[in-house]
Amino acid sequence: AEQSRAEQSRAEQSRAEHYSIDFTKFIFAFFVVAIHTKPFINADDVRFLSFYNTLVGLAVPFFFIASGYLITENQRIIKQNTLTKRVNRHLVKLVKYYMIWSFIYLPLAIYGYHVNGDNAIRAVILYVRNLFLQGEHYFSWPLWYLLSSIYAFLVLYFLLKKKIVSTSALVGIIIFFIFLANVTNILVADMHSLSGIVAFAAKVLQKTVGTGRIFTGVYFVLVGVLIARYKEYLSGINSVILVSTFVVCFVVVALFATPLVGIVMHGIFFVIIEKATWKRNNGVYLRRCSTVIYYIHMLFVFVYTLCVGMEFRYGVSGFAMTSICAMMVAVLVNLKKVRNCKLVIMLFGKM
């Protein structure tokens, strides 16, 4: 027990030192708000939108990679059994948060089924399907990240238990899930132009896992694990080389939407941020703020939509309103008198 507490203390201390990661997650929480409120919905410059979507698209993969990295950061100096227990604890925490926030967003889901005219039986079937396979309901799209993280850490836990943790094994699993996610996305997107058994398979995928993005958490989390494993080597790479490679990858992804280059881009970007030596004392504060903003912002988008109408919810005004309201709640939640109360910890974790 003492060893476990010592390992947990070292992990928390290490996490507290990652201000650059916490700061980036804070900024990227607003990128997620932008994804859901589309501040540039009226822009018609295709090239601009490609670069903008690539930019805001850095956010969620960064969250996945950071979680895999931080949970396994000192994997080289601790016993595998200890690492397995740490992954298990994180998995339990993810399940808890997913169930809590699914319950909070349940009224919105019920409202959505009512608006769509679904009967009770169909609504229940769709809700169960979305709860376990897609992770999103009406105006609760951010929850897919939690479900995808659950599956990702389930895979990691299984690999650790079975001792399938060699670099070649992890790379192979990453490639498999990249293939699975992209093939699913392609089949579902082209479903109406397919025929025969391929069309049937595409329809089954569309009715179950949707576009397949639920698989993305697995390979991004494992990328984080590999970055943690080779941290010393990666930290020795010249920053100019890293930044230059990232810029090239970014342009390629923006212009050609190349998935494999995108994986490299996200990995390099995380390494750049992790290498940054920003020293501040408010990393924990920013970490909690990013968590609050991510979890609650869709509640404000929903309220704003009720006020202005579905067709007017997108744009700069929706982004500004949602960002300001979510940030205000984050500040209130972090006040000294309430930041460590049981309800706040249950919803957003410890400071």
Side-chain angles (χ1 to χ4, degrees):
E2 291 180 0
Q3 182 183 0
S4 178
R5 285 194 293 269
E7 295 292 349
Q8 185 175 0
S9 176
R10 281 195 292 270
E12 292 173 353
Q13 180 181 359
S14 175
R15 186 176 174 87
E17 294 172 353
H18 292 299
Y19 175 81
S20 59
I21 295 177
D22 292 326
F23 178 80
T24 305
K25 290 172 72 174
F26 173 71
I27 298 299
F28 279 179
F30 292 101
F31 279 26
V32 174
V33 175
I35 291 172
H36 294 146
T37 56
K38 301 180 181 180
F40 297 107
I41 190 171
N42 294 320
D44 54 8
D45 187 324
V46 176
R47 187 66 55 81
F48 166 78
L49 290 175
S50 295
F51 279 88
Y52 165 75
N53 289 330
T54 304
L55 178 64
V56 296
L58 291 171
V60 176
F62 185 89
F63 295 151
F64 281 128
I65 294 174
S67 63
Y69 174 87
L70 292 169
I71 293 297
T72 65
E73 182 181 13
N74 54 356
Q75 58 185 277
R76 287 185 174 274
I77 61 174
I78 63 174
K79 295 179 180 180
Q80 185 169 316
N81 184 52
T82 303
L83 182 60
T84 304
K85 290 179 180 178
R86 181 186 299 174
V87 169
N88 183 62
R89 287 195 300 269
H90 185 67
L91 183 57
V92 171
K93 183 173 69 172
L94 286 171
V95 172
K96 182 189 74 171
Y97 287 145
Y98 183 59
M99 298 311 297
I100 289 173
W101 283 98
S102 293
F103 179 76
I104 291 173
Y105 276 97
L106 178 59
L108 274 63
I110 295 173
Y111 177 82
Y113 294 129
H114 171 72
V115 169
N116 292 333
D118 297 318
N119 60 46
I121 296 176
R122 176 177 169 79
V124 170
I125 293 173
L126 288 176
Y127 186 84
V128 172
R129 189 252 342 238
N130 293 344
L131 184 68
F132 290 103
L133 296 178
Q134 296 189 14
E136 60 180 58
H137 311 279
Y138 190 75
F139 277 86
S140 58
W141 309 312
L143 297 185
W144 82 269
Y145 166 79
L146 284 174
L147 183 60
S148 187
S149 294
I150 290 170
Y151 288 134
F153 279 95
L154 269 174
V155 170
L156 180 57
Y157 179 77
F158 172 82
L159 295 175
L160 288 168
K161 290 288 287 186
K162 298 298 182 180
K163 295 182 171 55
I164 311 174
V165 291
S166 66
T167 298
S168 58
L170 294 184
V171 170
I173 294 167
I174 288 172
I175 293 173
F176 170 77
F177 276 97
I178 291 173
F179 175 81
L180 185 61
N182 283 278
V183 168
T184 301
N185 186 40
I186 292 170
L187 287 175
V188 171
D190 298 335
M191 181 172 58
H192 298 294
S193 63
L194 303 174
S195 60
I197 191 170
V198 178
F200 175 77
K203 188 171 184 179
V204 170
L205 289 170
Q206 189 268 336
K207 294 293 185 181
T208 54
V209 296
T211 60
R213 71 172 180 171
I214 201 70
F215 302 125
T216 60
V218 177
Y219 57 80
F220 279 125
V221 166
L222 293 183
V223 166
V225 173
L226 289 179
I227 291 174
R229 178 172 296 179
Y230 294 101
K231 175 182 177 180
E232 293 183 3
Y233 170 77
L234 293 171
S235 63
I237 300 176
N238 186 278
S239 295
V240 175
I241 295 176
L242 285 173
V243 173
S244 300
T245 306
F246 166 74
V247 171
V248 171
C249 290
F250 185 91
V251 173
V252 170
V253 171
L255 296 180
F256 305 107
T258 310
L260 290 178
V261 178
I263 306 300
V264 176
M265 175 190 72
H266 291 298
I268 292 175
F269 180 77
F270 182 85
V271 173
I272 292 171
I273 296 302
E274 196 280 330
K275 275 171 59 69
T277 54
W278 306 340
K279 298 296 182 181
R280 299 290 189 278
N281 296 322
N282 61 339
V284 176
Y285 182 89
L286 293 179
R287 190 186 314 152
R288 169 70 78 77
C289 284
S290 64
T291 301
V292 174
I293 293 168
Y294 186 89
Y295 283 156
I296 72 168
H297 74 273
M298 284 307 301
L299 297 174
F300 293 110
V301 175
F302 175 73
V303 173
Y304 184 72
T305 301
L306 291 180
C307 294
V308 302
M310 186 71 74
E311 66 274 21
F312 299 112
R313 65 179 170 146
Y314 296 126
V316 174
S317 59
F319 171 74
M321 188 284 302
T322 302
S323 298
I324 292 171
C325 291
M327 187 63 207
M328 288 175 61
V329 173
V331 171
L332 291 173
V333 164
N334 283 327
L335 291 175
K336 185 176 293 187
K337 292 183 178 180
V338 299
R339 65 189 181 191
N340 289 319
C341 75
K342 291 183 178 180
L343 178 61
V344 170
I345 291 175
M346 180 184 72
L347 293 176
F348 306 111
K350 295 180 180 180
M351 282 284 284

